[in-house]
Amino acid sequence: MLDLQFIRDNPDVVRRAIQQKGSEDVSVVSSILDADEKHRAAVTELQDVRQRANEESKRIGQLMRDGDKDGAEAAKAESGSLKKRAQDLEEITRETEAILGILQLVVPNIPHLSVPIGRTPEENKIVFTHGELTEFEFEPLPHWELLGKHELADFDRGSKVAGAGFPFYVGKGARLQRALVNFFLDVAVEDGGYTEMQTPLVVNAASATGTGQLPDKEDMMYEVPRDGLYLIPTAEVPATNFLRDEIIPESDLPLKYCAYTPCFRREAGSYGKDVRGLNRIHQFDKVELVHFVHPDESYEALESLREDAESLLKMLELPYRRLLMCTGDMGFTQSKKYDLEVWSAGQKRWLEVSSISNYESFQARRMKIRYRPEDGNKPRILHTVNGSGLAVPRVVAAILENNQNADTSISIPDVLRPYTGFDSIG
């Protein structure tokens, strides 16, 4: 959520950001300014009316002491009228404040100046590529054929038990999943200095609103209406809300957390080749990295978190590339966002395995997460940065496809072997 004072001072900047994020309807800015003007006018008048009401109350006592009953009765009438007006103004301030809160929630974050202007994925900028694309002397298989051949996952039984997009992982497939999660967590804690946490797998509406899933991504979330809860689409939601409504000493910053969770996404409207195998499923495992940082250090933190995520792909020896997302493809809440895509040798395409974002104060303002400056000044909104470190299914797909052999066996990357307990599959 943007600061209301920023919207007042920079309405054209906000309108331009809305357009850059893909919408031509900028009327919300005028609606906010109108509601804000009404709110401030009501607050100003309310203060004046309360002061006059207090003065009339004092006059009543003095008039009574002076024996001026007529004057006292007139003052009582005026006091009653002022109190009634104060009640009306209080209602107006509550209504306009509520309207402002709703309107501010639908205004997107302001893109950083380094973000390319664009509307489509084709306008994202490839800023870095690592590793050579895997070449074979045979026609490589896509991961879903390898999964089936080696009985590593069962999509049909998953569909029977839960529905499409909820696979079973079996045998070495399950162990490979677990190995990757443990590997990602160990690197984050031991090398990256993150504090590991285990989060709830459901959140309430306030938490989903705090990180920007609501009101924006309702159609992508699984809901438990009876209890007013949502299954988490990413550990970002509970992990970032961990500090909601809190004030952190500046000396404690930065705070860095990592969390493994299953993630649940409806992926409404997904179809075609993009959903084959593990490309796009409804339940998947992911390790999330979250930073709470001083506002002056969030872009440095963004690059640090990006390096943490990229180091995992380097250790797994997977070819990958880094994309700087354009304004229209970066998301509602982000000020700057990178995507990491790994090469899928069997499909001959790139698969996203991590999104790394700086939200500046956008999330923290919604959640009222502040820090107390060491100089004694009043608390300020901090900045949040987070990213996947990493999402497991497409990493599994890339490992299988890039490390397959002519006999369809699969070699396990060296760094994973202590975690899997086996060197190969098949």
Side-chain angles (χ1 to χ4, degrees):
M1 184 166 63
L2 298 181
D3 181 34
L4 183 56
Q5 186 63 51
F6 180 88
I7 299 174
R8 289 184 195 127
D9 295 341
N10 304 276
D12 289 338
V13 172
V14 178
R15 291 187 181 98
R16 185 162 59 249
I18 292 171
Q19 292 172 329
Q20 290 173 345
K21 289 270 179 114
S23 174
E24 293 301 329
D25 184 2
V26 298
S27 61
V28 66
V29 178
S30 295
S31 298
I32 288 174
L33 296 176
D34 290 344
D36 179 50
E37 184 176 350
K38 292 176 183 177
H39 179 73
R40 289 194 289 166
V43 168
T44 299
E45 185 182 352
L46 178 59
Q47 292 171 341
D48 178 63
V49 167
R50 283 173 173 169
Q51 182 178 348
R52 288 165 55 198
N54 288 335
E55 291 171 353
E56 288 298 317
S57 295
K58 293 176 182 178
R59 280 189 65 229
I60 293 169
Q62 185 60 49
L63 290 167
M64 293 292 288
R65 286 190 294 273
D66 293 343
D68 186 352
K69 293 184 179 180
D70 291 341
E73 289 300 319
K76 286 180 182 178
E78 177 66 12
S79 176
S81 176
L82 289 170
K83 288 178 180 178
K84 176 62 170 64
R85 179 57 180 164
Q87 291 175 346
D88 293 342
L89 289 168
E90 287 169 356
E91 180 63 24
I92 292 171
T93 59
R94 284 192 294 269
E95 289 178 356
T96 52
E97 187 173 33
I99 290 169
L100 280 170
I102 293 170
L103 292 174
Q104 282 179 268
L105 288 178
V106 300
V107 177
N109 204 351
I110 305 296
H112 189 262
L113 291 176
S114 63
V115 174
I117 306 299
R119 293 290 185 94
T120 67
E122 291 71 29
E123 293 170 282
N124 296 329
K125 185 178 178 181
I126 301 170
V127 293
F128 179 77
T129 302
H130 174 82
E132 298 294 328
L133 302 189
T134 312
E135 295 184 359
F136 300 92
E137 295 180 352
F138 57 91
E139 186 63 28
L141 298 176
H143 69 272
W144 52 84
E145 293 190 27
L146 295 167
L147 287 168
K149 180 174 181 60
H150 298 292
E151 299 182 343
L152 303 176
D154 196 317
F155 291 90
D156 291 337
R157 288 189 171 103
S159 182
K160 174 183 68 177
V161 170
F166 294 91
F168 278 96
Y169 298 94
V170 183
K172 287 187 174 181
R175 290 172 67 185
L176 179 58
Q177 288 268 130
R178 176 160 52 92
L180 282 165
V181 169
N182 289 336
F183 169 59
F184 295 161
L185 288 173
D186 283 351
V187 172
V189 172
E190 296 170 10
D191 298 345
Y194 290 82
T195 298
E196 183 177 351
M197 61 165 53
Q198 194 171 63
T199 76
L201 301 183
V202 295
V203 293
N204 54 31
S207 295
T209 300
T211 46
Q213 274 66 37
L214 299 178
D216 180 47
K217 299 182 177 67
E218 294 93 334
D219 290 343
M220 302 296 286
M221 299 175 71
Y222 285 98
E223 187 175 0
V224 188
R226 178 174 177 179
D227 301 298
L229 297 172
Y230 295 85
L231 275 66
I232 61 169
T234 164
E236 167 198 338
V237 183
T240 310
N241 276 276
F242 182 63
L243 298 179
R244 179 154 52 97
D245 298 319
E246 296 190 25
I247 300 175
I248 312 302
E250 182 178 359
S251 58
D252 287 355
L253 300 178
L255 292 171
K256 298 164 59 177
Y257 295 98
C258 64
Y260 153 69
T261 63
C263 303
F264 304 89
R265 299 185 186 178
R266 293 182 63 241
E267 301 290 5
S270 299
Y271 62 91
K273 65 178 182 180
D274 289 344
V275 303
R276 292 289 302 271
L278 301 175
N279 285 349
R280 194 177 296 274
I281 53 182
H282 298 308
Q283 177 184 325
F284 62 94
D285 293 332
K286 182 160 69 77
V287 171
E288 189 74 6
L289 308 175
V290 176
H291 291 201
F292 299 91
V293 301
H294 189 283
D296 294 341
E297 299 172 356
S298 63
Y299 282 96
E300 180 181 343
L302 177 70
E303 300 304 326
S304 174
L305 195 155
R306 174 190 58 72
E307 290 172 0
D308 291 338
E310 289 186 21
S311 71
L312 299 169
L313 296 172
K314 290 176 181 176
M315 286 187 275
L316 291 169
E317 302 181 70
L318 292 173
Y320 74 91
R321 67 182 187 180
R322 181 196 319 149
L323 276 64
L324 176 58
M325 310 304 284
C326 71
T327 54
D329 200 37
M330 69 187 294
F332 178 86
T333 54
Q334 293 92 342
S335 59
K336 185 173 182 176
K337 175 184 173 184
Y338 293 112
D339 272 5
L340 303 182
E341 295 183 337
V342 69
W343 178 246
S344 169
Q347 301 177 74
K348 297 179 176 59
R349 59 191 290 252
W350 296 95
L351 301 175
E352 177 200 325
V353 293
S354 179
S355 289
I356 301 146
S357 303
N358 187 355
Y359 300 85
E360 296 190 356
S361 61
F362 194 84
Q363 291 182 328
R365 180 168 287 105
R366 287 179 173 222
M367 291 179 279
K368 298 182 175 65
I369 307 176
R370 296 170 289 170
Y371 73 94
R372 189 180 302 281
E374 292 182 321
D375 61 14
N377 284 329
K378 66 179 183 179
R380 296 178 57 199
I381 302 291
L382 51 72
H383 283 194
T384 59
V385 177
N386 68 51
S388 311
L390 300 160
V392 173
R394 293 174 183 171
V395 174
V396 168
I399 287 173
L400 297 180
E401 294 184 14
N402 287 288
N403 292 281
Q404 62 182 294
N405 303 304
D407 62 357
T408 72
S409 65
I410 300 149
S411 300
I412 299 298
D414 291 344
V415 73
L416 274 187
R417 292 177 183 182
Y419 291 89
T420 59
F422 51 84
D423 297 346
S424 63
I425 296 173

